[in-house]
Structure formats: structure tokens, C-alpha cells
Amino acid sequence: MAEGSSIESISHEQRRFVPPKDFAAAAHIRSIEDYEEQYKRSLADPDGFWAEVAADSHFFRKWDRVLQWDPPFAKWFVGATTNVSFNCLDLQLQRGRGDQTAILWEGEPVDAQGRPRDVQRITYRELHRRVCRFANALKSIGVRKGDRVTIYMPMIPELAVAMLACARIGAPHSVVFGGFSATAIVDRVNDAESHVVITADGGWRRGAIVPLKATVDEAAQASPLIRTVVVARRCGQEIAMQPGRDVWWHDIEQGASDDCPAEPLDAEHMLFLLYTSGSTGKPKGILHTTAGYMVFTAYTARLVFDLKPDDVYWCTADIGWITGHSYVVYGILQNGVTTLMYEGAPNFPEWDRFWSIIERHRVTKFYTAPTAIRAFMKQGPQWPNRRDLSSLKLLGTVGEPINPEAWMWYHAHIGTQRCPIVDTWWQTETGGILISPLPGATPTKPGSATRPLFGVDAAILDKSGQEQPANSGGYLCIRRPWPGMLRGIYGDEARFRRQYWSEIPGVYFTGDGARRDADGYFWIMGRVDDVIKVSGHRLGTAEIESVFVAHPKVAEAAVVGFPDEITGEAIAAFITLKTGIAPSPSIKDELSRHVAHTVGAIARPKVIRFTDALPKTRSGKIMRRLLRELATKGTVEGDTTTLEDFGSIARLREEES
Ligand code: WT7
């Protein structure tokens, strides 16, 4: 945990927005009284509550017990067998949703008139067929139940097909965000001991091809574990295929049958790994399992987005993040609605691309990130104003705290003052949304994620586990298990216990600081550990520091986050070069490129500063608080009495001027 134990909040937001009457009248949860009553019931009888929720899902075999809680290990729906792919597809066919569009996909390229060149509407029936075929193709190349499959793809329908095919045969997937580097693939492949990588020749981003296959080639050079690379054709350019290792998606599908019954899997069978940053150097493989995750994502999606059969729902997150797993694919398809996928950049060819997509496809529910909203805000309301956004019924945000200004802009210019906004708080680890307004029930306050969802026992605690009074800052913790929770960190039980269950004994520690106001509303203040959020993406300071130090010219590095108008936080790196190497703009450039190449472009530091010594305490700990202050305000006023080398701060200050 970062030094400095008091958490102070400076927000005095007073505005309130009640759910529009007509929205509330038709919503799944229609009033705050309804919410309160069900919330109480869900905590009084969690087993009964979740059993009722799970009754909406399909199980091959019913559970013997709803929950087995042996802290910190939870098993949900013990003894049941089910399949998430079945629930996303076959169950929807049984419910008569076969002709409904499951995936509505738009590629990035546009024609001379600005119309999208590639649009696909894939019905549930067709998606079922494509998933079955590809599942059989995976079997034909030797993928078996339990094998971890790495997926490194652009936002194309094949990405969802690949995940659903893996889930169908019980092969856990590990999706690696397509913006990450070869090194990131290698680390994840090695940790997961994965032998198969599914990728594409490339994907379109801002008018250019992202050469995904070339990056996988680089990864395969470095990791002998990669035996087979499956390549989907998207961009059609010439690429190198290595015989014996690389196979085309369309070739292995040749002759594969459309019939592939979903494997009945144990409720706790591993569904996927998703790697995320923590406070140490190595990304951790967050482990999610089958039944609990399935039930939790379906239910939270239905309530929070108030899903109805004719919804065209669009979450702009990449599937490479948890948001895409839970609320582009699994939670949404289980509700039988249309999920929209867009391949490219928000500002291609112009800053109104998102709004043109909403207009073209009559999108009803729209879910995006505060960083995107701030970027649009900066471009001005003329972009959304020239599009018809009247189909929208609800807006959502996720990933970082939304500042009230951005909330108000979203409300005014995208929601045209009609649409409820759901500010949803959750994490890769939680699997699904834990704190959020229910759009027909909860009055909202700009900047607050409002109240916990059913069954979620969220609390603000101090380090000793004491609950904090209203409006006092503390650590956001969850005091009971919930079905979507992570089951572990792959291959590292000690880290799982240490990271989430030891900081405050007996409860799940989220790593976020927050307060709860007198109305019971949660206000998230941000991470209290060494994790920073750049454009809502999680980056560990230790992880980036170790990348810097791996560079031959670097002796020592300290990385901190500091506020940025658009990305929320940005990265500042304080670097000590090896003896005899003089700081220069070209070394700055070199280091910046090194980080972007090793981790991915999102980790590129905004500021790099050289110093001949980093400020440290007498015990040798880098004083990040000082560096954060320096990066934010350009100077240090705080207490420096424990500082070992006073001179280092003075020199850093000089370097600034
Ligand atoms: C961290 C989790 C959950 C999907 C995307 C991010 C921050 C997330 C909110 C919100 C304030 C938020 C927290 C959390 N966060 N949603 N609505 N308000 N902060 O997943 O990468 O696992 O990051 O994102 O700091 O701990 P993630």
C-alpha cells in the first residue's frame, strides 16, 4: 500500500438526477424502495437469492449447494454442471432468439462517402453455427478440455467466436489485448503454459493495419511453448506463415462439422484467465470459473443496463479487458440481445465516428469510459450534435472515477438530458459490476457510483477493519463472497492471499480508496496501491520500473501517476542513468520507445526526468509521494524529514526550471 494513511475527499457535489418516470415504469427495478427491499433480502438470505437468480440460466445438472465459503476460497453452485457457451447460444435458440442479431459488427475502414466498408450482422443461429465449427476446428488441432488458449486479436467477430468456442469445449482462454507487445504475449503465454495462440493477419486502427501476426511471430521466437498459431484473415495483406506452426483459421475450419454439443463442465471449471497489473513487477493471471461468473454477468448486465429483447447494446471497450469479456460477450449474449462491436478508433475518420455508429444502428444502450468522454468533450459538442442520438435510452461509464464535469457533458450532449447514466464500479477481479445505480430506481449524483448491487456487501474500512463513519475516507472492501469473484491468481496462491485477503483481515480488499456519504452512496477516490490508471487501463508502477531498469543505460527508475485532463492519470518516470551516461533528449526518446515497445503504447510515459539520485527514506524506500507531488505541482512542499538525500529533491526541482 502507498505511504500516507489518511484518505481525504474534496468533492462537494450536490446535484441529483432522478430516473425519468417512463424509464422507471418499464424497468426491471422500478423504485429505490424496491431496490432497498431486495437488497436487504439478498443479504439476509444470499443462498436463496442467488439460487433464484441462477434459475434463469441453463444447467445440465443442478447444484447441491449454492455456496461453499472457505475463506478466501469460494465455490459457487457446487456440484452443478453447465456451459457458458451453451447459455450464450443454444439457450437463446431454445428461447426463440435464433433470428435475432447477436453480433452487429462494424469494421473501421470507410468508403469515399464516409460509410463503413465492412458491416456484419450475425444472428444467434449463425453465431451458434460458427462457434460450433470453430470449436471442432480447435479440437482438430489438438485443443482439449483444460488447455489454455491465448487469443490476440483485433475487435472482429472471430474474437468472440474464438472465446465462445473455447468455452464450449472447456479450454480456458487467455485474451491478450491487441495493443500489447510481443513481450506481454510471451509473459502471459509462459505463465499460463499455453501452446496455442489465435490471432489475425492484422486489424484496422486509424486507417493503418496493426500487424498482429508479426507481433505473434516475435513472441513465438521468444517462447518455445507456442506450438500452433491460428490466423484469421482480416486485412488480407501478405503475411509470413511458418509451416508446421501457423495455420489459417479458414483452413482448419474446412470440413469441420457444424455440430459440436457444449461440454457439460463443472461449475468451478476454469473459464478464463485475464492478466492484469498489480503492485509488483509481474502481471497476474486473474482466474475466473464457469457457473458463478456466468450467473453474475448475466444478472448484472440485465439489471444495470436494464436489457430488453429489442436492445442494440454497445460497449466500446476492447474485449482484451474484463469489460469486454463480461459486457461485450458473456453477460450480454446470455440476455439474447444485440451486442455491437466496433473495430477501430473513436476518431476515425472523424471525431463523430461513435455518434455516427449510434445513429446508423439505432443503438439503445451505450457504455464507455470517462477518458473517452473527456476526449470528446475537448473536441466540442458539434460532433454529437450533427448526429441523431434519439435511439439512446441509457448511458454507462466504467474504468475510473468520472469527474462531475464529464458526467454533466455526457448527460447533456450524448444523453440529451433524457438518459439515465450508470457509473459502474468494478474490477477485473470482481468479474462483474458491484456498485452502480439501477437506472430505473437509483437517483444519481454526478461522480458517484451510488450503491452496491444485490448480494454485494461493500464497506469503507480502515486498516484495522473498522467501518468508517459517513464521509470519512477509507479502504473499499467487500465483506462477503459474490458469484463473479476471482477464484485465484493462476499458479500463485500466496500472492492471491497477500494481495486481496491480508491487508484487512477476513475481507476482500479492492485496492481502492473511497468514502460513503450520508445517503449510503459510494464515491471512489482511486487506487491506494502502486497501480495507476491511464485512460482507465491499469498499469503497475513496479512493472514499468522494471522495464526501464532492463534498459542497459538505466541504473534506477521510479514511476508515479499524476493527473491528466484527458487520460485521468499519466505516467511520470524519474530515471537515474548509469555512471558515465549523460541525460539527453535522444535518451529520453530511446527510453520512451523502449517502454512502448516492451509493454505497449498505453505505457508510454508522458514525462521522463533524469536525476542523479532518487529521493529515498532512510530505510531505502523511494518516496513516491514526493515524486507524485513533484510531477503534479512541479514542486515539493510536504514533509521531507525522513528523506535520506535532501539534495536529490533540490536537484529534481532545478531540472524542472
Ligand atoms: C479499477 C479496476 C472494471 C472494468 C474496467 C477496469 C477503477 C473501475 C470505476 C468507477 C471509479 C473505477 C478502480 C478499480 N474503476 N470502475 N466506476 N469509478 N473507479 O477494470 O482494469 O480491473 O480496474 O478501476 O480503481 O479498482 P480494471
Side-chain angles (χ1 to χ4, degrees):
M1 213 177 280
E3 81 265 19
S5 56
S6 79
I7 300 172
E8 262 167 57
S9 171
I10 48 161
S11 164
H12 300 287
E13 180 59 47
Q14 294 298 334
R15 288 169 287 208
R16 270 182 194 37
F17 294 84
V18 293
K21 276 210 177 62
D22 48 339
F23 190 101
H28 291 298
I29 308 292
R30 298 175 185 186
S31 70
I32 196 71
E33 293 75 27
D34 241 25
Y35 160 80
E36 309 262 5
E37 194 207 303
Q38 285 211 49
Y39 182 71
K40 273 201 206 101
R41 194 170 66 86
S42 71
L43 291 193
D45 175 20
D47 285 13
F49 177 80
W50 288 113
E52 216 171 273
V53 173
D56 280 336
S57 298
H58 169 274
F59 288 83
F60 294 106
R61 182 187 187 279
K62 213 187 149 180
W63 54 90
D64 304 314
R65 236 177 118 175
V66 172
L67 169 65
Q68 185 182 315
W69 180 222
D70 178 14
F73 299 104
K75 288 185 177 165
W76 283 88
F77 307 109
V78 183
T81 62
T82 183
N83 187 294
V84 187
S85 181
F86 186 99
N87 275 267
C88 289
L89 302 168
D90 308 58
L91 181 62
Q92 306 310 322
L93 301 187
Q94 287 174 13
R95 288 178 176 167
R97 308 291 290 162
D99 296 325
Q100 169 81 16
T101 302
I103 295 179
L104 173 42
W105 175 73
E106 192 169 302
E108 189 191 71
V110 291
D111 66 17
Q113 280 73 49
R115 283 179 309 232
R117 197 188 68 189
D118 308 315
V119 173
Q120 279 184 39
R121 285 185 185 75
I122 305 168
T123 62
Y124 274 91
R125 196 180 323 287
E126 175 63 11
L127 185 61
H128 178 264
R129 199 187 63 84
R130 286 175 66 168
V131 168
C132 287
R133 257 188 110 173
F134 190 64
N136 281 326
L138 285 178
K139 285 187 195 164
S140 77
I141 58 164
V143 177
R144 298 282 171 266
K145 177 174 163 181
D147 295 348
R148 277 84 54 215
V149 173
T150 302
I151 302 179
Y152 182 70
M153 296 187 88
M155 282 289 282
I156 57 177
E158 284 81 354
L159 169 50
V161 170
M163 293 162 78
L164 290 161
C166 286
R168 201 164 183 86
I169 62 177
H173 53 69
S174 162
V175 180
V176 179
F177 170 56
F180 279 146
S181 65
T183 317
I185 301 174
V186 171
D187 289 347
R188 287 155 178 75
V189 158
N190 290 348
D191 189 79
E193 297 172 285
S194 165
H195 301 300
V196 175
V197 179
I198 305 174
T199 189
D201 53 1
W204 289 100
R205 183 101 191 156
R206 287 204 180 85
I209 294 175
V210 181
L212 297 167
K213 172 61 165 61
T215 306
V216 172
D217 289 343
E218 199 186 323
Q221 289 287 316
S223 175
L225 289 184
I226 301 177
R227 289 186 205 137
T228 308
V229 178
V230 180
V231 188
R233 189 176 270 155
R234 160 64 183 130
C235 300
Q237 87 282 26
E238 203 51 53
I239 57 162
M241 293 289 279
Q242 182 176 306
R245 186 194 70 192
D246 301 347
V247 291
W248 285 104
W249 175 300
H250 54 257
D251 283 343
I252 60 167
E253 260 193 356
Q254 278 289 325
S257 150
D258 289 355
D259 181 33
C260 180
E263 184 81 22
L265 299 169
D266 185 84
E268 288 296 335
H269 184 75
M270 193 198 311
L271 176 63
F272 65 84
L273 293 174
L274 186 57
Y275 285 82
T276 188
S277 299
S279 45
T280 69
K282 191 172 153 255
K284 46 193 179 184
I286 302 300
L287 195 162
H288 284 287
T289 59
T290 297
Y293 175 84
M294 174 181 93
V295 168
F296 194 68
T297 52
Y299 184 62
T300 51
R302 176 154 66 249
L303 290 198
V304 172
F305 305 118
D306 198 49
L307 294 179
K308 300 289 167 55
D310 52 1
D311 268 326
V312 178
Y313 161 96
W314 181 21
C315 165
T316 66
D318 193 284
I319 290 177
W321 312 110
I322 190 70
T323 310
H325 282 58
S326 301
Y327 301 113
V328 175
V329 182
Y330 292 122
I332 307 303
L333 294 176
Q334 284 187 77
N335 280 285
V337 305
T338 299
T339 186
L340 193 146
M341 273 174 80
Y342 167 57
E343 177 183 35
N347 57 350
F348 187 90
E350 299 264 27
W351 273 100
D352 66 345
R353 183 62 184 266
F354 276 15
W355 323 128
S356 83
I357 291 174
I358 291 173
E359 177 181 71
R360 190 158 40 249
H361 303 296
R362 305 295 294 160
V363 170
T364 55
K365 311 277 164 80
F366 179 68
Y367 190 32
T368 195
T371 185
I373 298 167
R374 288 191 296 263
F376 291 128
M377 201 169 143
K378 192 170 174 200
Q379 298 303 316
Q382 72 277 14
W383 295 104
N385 286 352
R386 66 189 225 190
R387 298 290 178 174
D388 175 7
L389 303 180
S390 63
S391 57
L392 287 173
K393 293 182 182 159
L394 170 146
L395 306 174
T397 82
V398 61
E400 54 179 316
I402 180 165
N403 44 314
E405 298 68 37
W407 196 103
M408 290 304 298
W409 190 88
Y410 199 30
H411 171 72
H413 297 288
I414 309 305
T416 57
Q417 316 207 23
R418 300 174 297 109
C419 301
I421 295 181
V422 289
D423 173 355
T424 64
W425 179 89
W426 57 297
Q427 313 178 294
T428 305
E429 291 86 344
T430 68
I433 299 165
L434 295 194
I435 304 178
S436 167
L438 293 177
T442 317
T444 51
K445 307 181 187 184
S448 171
T450 78
R451 319 234 343 224
L453 297 188
F454 303 139
V456 175
D457 185 15
I460 306 293
L461 307 180
D462 68 10
K463 270 210 150 169
S464 67
Q466 202 64 30
E467 186 153 13
Q468 296 302 98
N471 287 317
S472 295
Y475 302 111
L476 176 60
C477 297
I478 316 295
R479 292 186 289 204
R480 297 183 190 205
W482 65 99
M485 69 194 282
L486 79 164
R487 300 301 197 265
I489 293 174
Y490 190 65
D492 201 343
E493 186 183 318
R495 191 174 178 193
F496 173 62
R497 288 180 184 274
R498 186 164 12 97
Q499 199 103 67
Y500 306 108
W501 304 96
S502 328
E503 206 71 59
I504 297 158
V507 303
Y508 172 80
F509 170 66
T510 64
D512 278 1
R515 75 184 162 95
R516 189 180 206 167
D517 70 17
D519 299 328
Y521 279 48
F522 284 85
W523 298 79
I524 313 296
M525 279 131 59
R527 304 287 309 191
V528 295
D529 52 10
D530 293 323
V531 167
I532 47 189
K533 284 238 130 189
V534 181
S535 299
H537 302 314
R538 221 158 120 170
L539 294 163
T541 52
E543 204 179 321
I544 304 171
E545 283 162 6
S546 66
V547 170
F548 269 113
V549 176
H551 190 281
K553 290 180 184 156
V554 174
E556 203 173 19
V559 165
V560 296
F562 68 102
D564 180 274
E565 205 195 330
I566 303 289
T567 60
E569 279 190 287
I571 296 171
F574 296 86
I575 306 288
T576 306
L577 293 171
K578 284 197 179 143
T579 321
I581 296 175
S584 72
S586 80
I587 293 190
K588 250 188 209 182
D589 248 31
E590 189 180 329
L591 294 180
S592 173
R593 266 184 282 116
H594 167 71
V595 173
H597 181 78
T598 315
V599 185
I602 50 168
R604 192 188 288 279
K606 186 167 180 193
V607 170
I608 295 182
R609 287 168 66 178
F610 296 111
T611 169
D612 50 14
L614 289 168
K616 288 185 189 162
T617 62
R618 285 191 195 100
S619 63
K621 246 187 118 182
I622 294 172
M623 297 185 82
R624 290 165 194 288
R625 178 175 55 83
L626 294 186
L627 295 176
R628 263 196 299 272
E629 204 176 328
L630 201 60
T632 308
K633 301 190 210 147
T635 158
V636 172
E637 289 150 7
D639 175 24
T640 56
T641 46
T642 53
L643 191 58
E644 179 59 23
D645 177 9
F646 294 90
S648 64
I649 277 290
R651 284 189 295 277
L652 274 164
R653 226 185 265 138
E654 275 159 29
E655 209 247 319
E656 171 75 351
S657 47

